Amino acid sequence: MAPASEVLDLKPGEFLHSGPPLTWDRASGPMRGALIGAMLFEGLAATPEEAEEKLAGPDITLAPCHSRGAVGPMAGVISPSMWLFELRDPVHGNVSHCSLNEGLGKVLRYGAYSEEVITRLEWMRDVLGPVLAEAVERHGPVDVKAYLPQMLQMGDEGHNRNRSATLMFLRDLLPHIVGQVGERSQDDVAEVCRFVGANDHFALNLVMPACKLAMAAAKDIPGSSVVVTMARNGTDFGIQLAGTGDAWFTAPADTPEGLFLGSFGPEDANPDIGDSAITETAGMGGFVMAAAPAIVRLVGGDVDFALTTTRTMYEITLGEHPSLQIPILEFRGAPIGIDAVAVARTGVLPQINTGMAGRVAGTGQVGAGLVNPPADVFVQALTALAEQVPASA
C-alpha cells in the first residue's frame, strides 16, 4: 500500500479515471463531480467553479486507470495523494492498483464532492492509508486470491456483495491494526476498525485488481478473441481483447435498470460507469449470481433470474474456473473467458451487476442495478481482430 504519487508516479494535475479514454468536454455528471472533488482534495482549486475552469484547460491530464494497469470503481478517479492497494501476480510479474473504498452514498466515486466527501478523503489519506499500510507491512503479503473462492462459498459475488471478503481482510489485519495503539491514538485505530468493518464494499477494491491481474495474464495472445477488459466511463462502454493489444472498442454506455435509493428514480441515473466490470470479465460479479442469489435484493430481478444468468454465461465463455466454484450448481466452476466470437454468434451479452451514480454532478449514489454492454463493441473488436490476420492465412 502506498500513495499514487509513489507507485504510479502521478504528478499534481494528473488524474486517472475509469473506463476508456475520455476528455472533460465529454465527461458525464458523476465523472465531472469526481474530478471536481479530486481537484478540491488535492488543493488545486478552492471552489468547484475554479476546479471546472481548470479541468477544461490545458494543464490537467486525464488518462484511464487501465492505461497504468490500475482499476477504479464507478468514476474511478485516482489522484496523486490517494492511497492505493498494490496487488502482485508472482507468476506473470504483473502489478495492479486500486484506491481505497469510501463506502456508499455521497462519495467521490459516485460524483459527490461536498465538504463531508473531502473531509473523508483527507482522513483516508492521513489515517486510514497509513494505518492499513503499517498493518500490511507487519502482516506480510496478504493472499487476496485466497479470498475469492471463499467469497462464493459465503454468498458474495465479488462485485456488489463483498461482505465476507471485507471481514476476511479485517480478520487478517486486525491484530496488526490494534497493535499500533500507543504509536497512534486509540481513537484513530478504533475508527479504522469501525470504518472497514462497517463498509461491506471495502474488499471490492481488492477483488477488482485481483481480477485485473487474472485478465492481464491473458493479454497479447495473437489471434485471441478473449475479452480482457470491460470498462465504462459514464459516457462510453469499452472492451479490449487479448489479441488486439491496448486498442479500445467503444459505444455509448447504456443506463442500468434496477432499484433506487429513497426518492430517486430512473430519470436520476447516469449511464453505466466504472472499472468494476473487470469482476465480470474475470468470471465473478454478474457471472456468478447463482452463488449470491441475495444480490437480487440490491440490484433487482429474482432468485430464478440469478440462477438462469449464471447458466447462460457458460454459453459465451471458454472455460470453467477451477477454484471459483458455485455451490448451488454442484460446485461447477465459474464461467470465465468471455469469447467475443461466442457473444457475436449467440447474441448473449455479458451480465453486469452495478451501482448507479446520479446523472447530475455532486449527487452521489442513486441506486444499483443490472446492465449489459452494447453489442456493437464486440462487432468492432472482432472486425479489428480479423484485420490482423494475414491474407494468406
Side-chain angles (χ1 to χ4, degrees), residues 226-250:
V226 168
V227 177
V228 293
T229 307
M230 294 195 296
R232 316 88 94 204
N233 58 30
T235 302
D236 305 312
F237 192 112
I239 67 170
Q240 295 176 318
L241 297 188
T244 53
D246 292 329
W248 285 97
F249 307 98
T250 65

Side-chain angles (χ1 to χ4, degrees), residues 22-33:
L22 186 69
T23 53
W24 172 254
D25 61 294
R26 297 188 65 247
S28 65
M31 183 65 75
R32 289 187 173 219

Side-chain angles (χ1 to χ4, degrees), residues 259 293-301:
L259 304 178
I295 193 65
V296 300
R297 300 290 297 273
L298 176 68
V299 300

Side-chain angles (χ1 to χ4, degrees), residues 36-74:
I36 290 169
M39 290 283 288
L40 298 174
F41 168 62
E42 293 291 341
L44 298 176
T47 66
E49 293 74 21
E50 182 185 359
E52 289 193 70
E53 183 179 347
K54 290 185 175 180
L55 284 162
D59 298 328
I60 302 299
T61 302
L62 306 180
C65 294
H66 281 286
S67 69
R68 303 287 187 97
V71 281
M74 301 308 291

Side-chain angles (χ1 to χ4, degrees), residues 84-95:
L84 306 179
F85 290 120
E86 178 173 284
L87 272 68
R88 295 181 175 273
D89 172 359
V91 176
H92 301 90
N94 296 317
V95 179

